[in-house]
Amino acid sequence: MRTMVGIVGGGPAGLLLSHLLHLQGIDSVVLEARGREELEAEIRAGVLEHGTTELLVETGVGDRMRKEGAVHHGVNLQFDGRRERIDLEGLTGKTITLYGQHEVVKDLIRTRLDAGGEVLFRAKGLGLQDLESEEPKVRFVKGDEEYELRCDFVVGTDGFHGVSREAFPEGARAEYGRRYPFGWFGILVEGPPSTEELIYALHERGFALVSTRSPEIQRLYFQCDPDDDASNWSDDRIWTEMHARLDTDDGWTVNEGKIIQKNVVQMRSFVCEPMRHGRLFLAGDAAHIVPPTGAKGMNLAVADVRVLSRGLAEFYRSGSTGVLDNYSEICLKRVWKASRFSWWMTSMLHRFDGDNAFQYRMQVAELDYVTGSRAAATSLAENYVGLPMEWREDPEAIARTTEGMDA
């Protein structure tokens, strides 16, 4: 098999990259280990930054998101028995959109298949070869047959446990990260919403989050032991914990409903440097992971492939490798800032092992400052709605990477 760009991983990063390349007349093949039904049924949260929603709309895959997604103009921070709102739009002129990651995946799959795109489901990557040559190769298995995909470039969007990052030669990459001593216990609930906008809560018992998916489906989380098992929690025990952490002194209470899903989410921060070796580029979770507190995971993946698609378009249009050569540097500036923000939000809102009353009061004081200072609230809001891509602020870079591009 032969294509221009081989993409290992059919999640939002790989599918969006394939779509962006298609708009520039660049062929690609997407290899995804899971089946389409499995991929589309994997329910994942989705807080989309302002720039992410703009890109989806501009490139023709945002129609259903605009109809069904919930635009939020602010978020709430709850602590010390009270709730304070951060006015995202008032402070930045931008909003966020709640639209599940799995819904984005559905839209992208349909768009790629309708356009005749090659998305090979149940195609498991086995390994990458000749990454420093002009024709790198991807070995994969589909059914009982093993295949080889030859291409000009390979992009690894196959997540933390995929084969792409492991294809870097020994000593060619550095990895930074930490595991957090807690996880999130998540539930999906059939019932009326408890709030119109997200609630991030600090409580002496630990963190909690209320997120509205739709008028009928709600998503709620609370901090838990990362090694806990969802089967250990009865519905009554879950609602008792939710009420303890979320009900406020003014009489507000979280709405209950039928729990249709329970799971425990692990928490980690991880960054791989560089995000390129030879003609292999990493994007999304294959290169970096952030705790979900800052709502940055999918948005970072979108930012990666946005840069990469422009670099590849520049290469095929003029032969220039300017953006591709600087891909890691461009993306990692944003990755590290998003990692900092996610770490800060996590540290401010969670109880750590060995925390004492002093540490808790420090967290309350920080939340009181953030919600009481316009400057501090603006800093949170700017990061939450999405920082600008600094490379796009360079007029020469913009002209070099956007000339003649349809999108």
Side-chain angles (χ1 to χ4, degrees):
M1 299 179 64
R2 183 69 169 84
T3 191
M4 298 166 79
V5 181
I7 301 172
V8 186
L15 292 166
L16 180 58
L17 175 61
S18 181
H19 174 60
L20 295 177
L21 295 177
H22 168 71
L23 295 178
Q24 308 307 318
I26 301 170
D27 293 333
S28 66
V29 173
V30 179
L31 307 176
E32 169 53 46
R34 292 163 291 180
R36 178 178 180 178
E37 299 80 6
E38 181 182 357
L39 192 63
E40 293 183 343
E42 185 182 31
I43 298 177
R44 300 284 296 275
V47 175
L48 308 185
E49 292 178 355
H50 189 83
T52 298
T53 60
E54 283 189 327
L55 180 65
L56 295 177
V57 171
E58 289 170 2
T59 57
V61 288
D63 289 348
R64 193 164 70 93
M65 175 197 68
R66 286 197 292 183
K67 294 176 183 176
E68 301 178 12
V71 177
H72 285 201
H73 304 270
V75 295
N76 298 284
L77 298 178
Q78 185 171 301
F79 58 99
D80 207 25
R82 59 191 170 96
R83 185 179 305 152
E84 302 289 345
R85 182 175 182 269
I86 302 293
D87 183 2
L88 299 176
E89 187 174 32
L91 293 167
T92 69
K94 300 177 180 178
T95 60
I96 58 170
T97 299
L98 264 67
Y99 188 66
Q101 177 175 312
H102 58 291
E103 303 295 349
V104 175
V105 166
K106 291 178 185 177
D107 296 339
L108 287 168
I109 289 175
R110 185 180 64 252
T111 299
R112 291 303 300 122
L113 296 181
D114 287 350
E118 289 193 78
V119 182
L120 304 184
F121 297 104
R122 303 196 184 283
K124 182 179 180 181
L126 298 177
L128 314 181
Q129 298 174 335
D130 302 328
L131 298 176
E132 298 179 16
S133 74
E134 293 185 357
E135 190 177 70
K137 302 173 181 66
V138 182
R139 291 187 301 107
F140 68 97
V141 61
K142 181 173 172 60
D144 296 326
E145 298 292 331
E146 186 172 326
Y147 299 88
E148 181 180 88
L149 175 65
R150 294 174 289 115
C151 34
D152 300 327
F153 298 95
V154 178
V155 181
T157 59
D158 50 349
F160 182 79
H161 298 290
V163 300
S164 298
R165 192 175 67 258
E166 296 303 318
F168 278 52
E170 185 176 354
R173 72 181 193 271
E175 296 185 354
Y176 308 90
R178 65 166 298 182
R179 293 184 67 89
Y180 293 88
F182 43 74
W184 279 10
F185 193 104
I187 60 172
L188 204 61
V189 179
E190 289 182 347
S194 298
T195 176
E196 293 184 357
E197 297 177 332
L198 290 157
I199 300 174
Y200 288 82
L202 169 71
H203 190 272
E204 291 178 338
R205 298 173 67 91
F207 168 80
L209 171 65
V210 180
S211 172
T212 298
R213 282 288 178 80
S214 73
E216 299 81 25
I217 301 294
Q218 319 308 316
R219 187 69 161 168
L220 297 94
Y221 297 94
F222 61 82
Q223 179 182 342
C224 69
D225 186 317
D227 298 319
D228 207 343
D229 192 309
S231 62
N232 294 331
W233 289 77
S234 67
D235 289 5
D236 287 343
R237 184 186 177 197
I238 290 171
W239 287 120
T240 297
E241 193 66 31
M242 285 293 185
H243 284 296
R245 300 191 192 191
L246 288 167
D247 292 357
T248 56
D249 295 347
D250 61 4
W252 180 90
T253 184
V254 63
N255 290 336
E256 296 188 18
K258 179 183 178 182
I259 298 175
I260 57 176
Q261 184 189 80
K262 306 175 186 178
N263 68 309
V264 175
V265 179
Q266 303 294 321
M267 305 277 282
R268 67 156 62 95
S269 292
F270 169 80
V271 179
C272 172
E273 291 189 348
M275 292 169 58
R276 175 193 182 180
H277 174 74
R279 290 207 168 192
L280 166 64
F281 297 84
L282 302 180
D285 286 357
H288 43 72
I289 294 176
V290 291
T293 326
K296 294 295 155 209
M298 183 168 63
N299 295 294
L300 281 178
V302 169
D304 291 345
V305 300
R306 189 175 197 168
V307 175
L308 187 53
S309 67
R310 295 195 173 194
L312 290 168
E314 178 185 67
F315 172 82
Y316 284 112
R317 184 174 60 248
S318 66
S320 172
T321 60
V323 174
L324 294 180
D325 289 342
N326 292 284
Y327 171 73
S328 279
E329 181 183 357
I330 293 167
C331 292
L332 284 169
K333 285 183 178 181
R334 185 181 181 90
V335 167
W336 278 114
K337 288 177 181 178
S339 297
R340 181 212 68 83
F341 175 68
S342 299
W343 166 84
W344 174 72
M345 287 281 286
T346 301
S347 301
M348 181 171 61
L349 290 162
H350 291 74
R351 305 304 310 279
F352 285 76
D353 291 342
D355 274 356
N356 54 29
F358 175 82
Q359 179 64 30
Y360 176 70
R361 297 313 302 172
M362 291 288 284
Q363 290 173 301
V364 170
E366 184 163 15
L367 285 161
D368 193 37
Y369 170 67
V370 167
T371 56
S373 163
R374 183 178 180 85
T378 300
S379 176
L380 187 154
E382 286 179 345
N383 282 272
Y384 202 87
V385 301
L387 296 174
M389 296 292 291
E390 287 136 321
W391 72 287
R392 298 183 70 211
E393 297 174 357
D394 178 354
E396 293 183 1
I398 294 174
R400 190 169 59 246
T401 58
T402 60
E403 182 181 358
M405 292 183 68
D406 297 332

